[in-house]
Amino acid sequence: RIARLLIDLDVKVDAFFDVSPKRIGSTRHGVPILPQQQLASWKKKNQSGFAIGAVGIRGRRHIVRDLLQGAGFNEPLDTVCIA
């Protein structure tokens, strides 16, 4: 839902990152879904990129925050986690 709202506001969405093998390799709203292991390399190629960590499971936000931080993102400068 969040991506659809952003796209409707003409915000460019470059990629989605996921842990689910079922979703990785497909697209959502025409945007590729990549494995979380590619997050750091994406950040290196997109220095000014911004990441939104959308968490759908209660109590898991800290895991996504840790993944983003490990990939080189700094909250709130270039990332934010939302539920």
Side-chain angles (χ1 to χ4, degrees):
R1 288 182 285 165
I2 295 156
R4 172 56 37 209
L5 292 170
L6 291 171
I7 291 167
D8 288 348
L9 292 170
D10 293 325
V11 173
K12 184 179 182 214
V13 178
D14 290 324
F16 291 101
F17 294 88
D18 208 314
V19 296
S20 170
K22 287 192 314 187
R23 291 187 286 268
I24 293 169
S26 63
T27 62
R28 182 178 297 141
H29 309 298
V31 177
I33 301 174
L34 306 174
Q36 70 176 17
Q37 293 84 353
Q38 290 184 13
L39 196 55
S41 62
W42 184 91
K43 174 62 175 163
K44 285 179 185 175
K45 292 178 198 169
N46 299 278
Q47 292 289 316
S48 63
F50 191 90
I52 299 173
V55 184
I57 301 171
R58 182 179 218 113
R60 303 286 189 196
R61 194 176 303 171
H62 70 283
I63 295 170
V64 173
R65 258 195 189 104
D66 290 347
L67 286 170
L68 289 165
Q69 186 177 23
F73 289 90
N74 282 308
E75 192 172 15
L77 299 175
D78 56 9
T79 189
V80 65
C81 283
I82 57 175

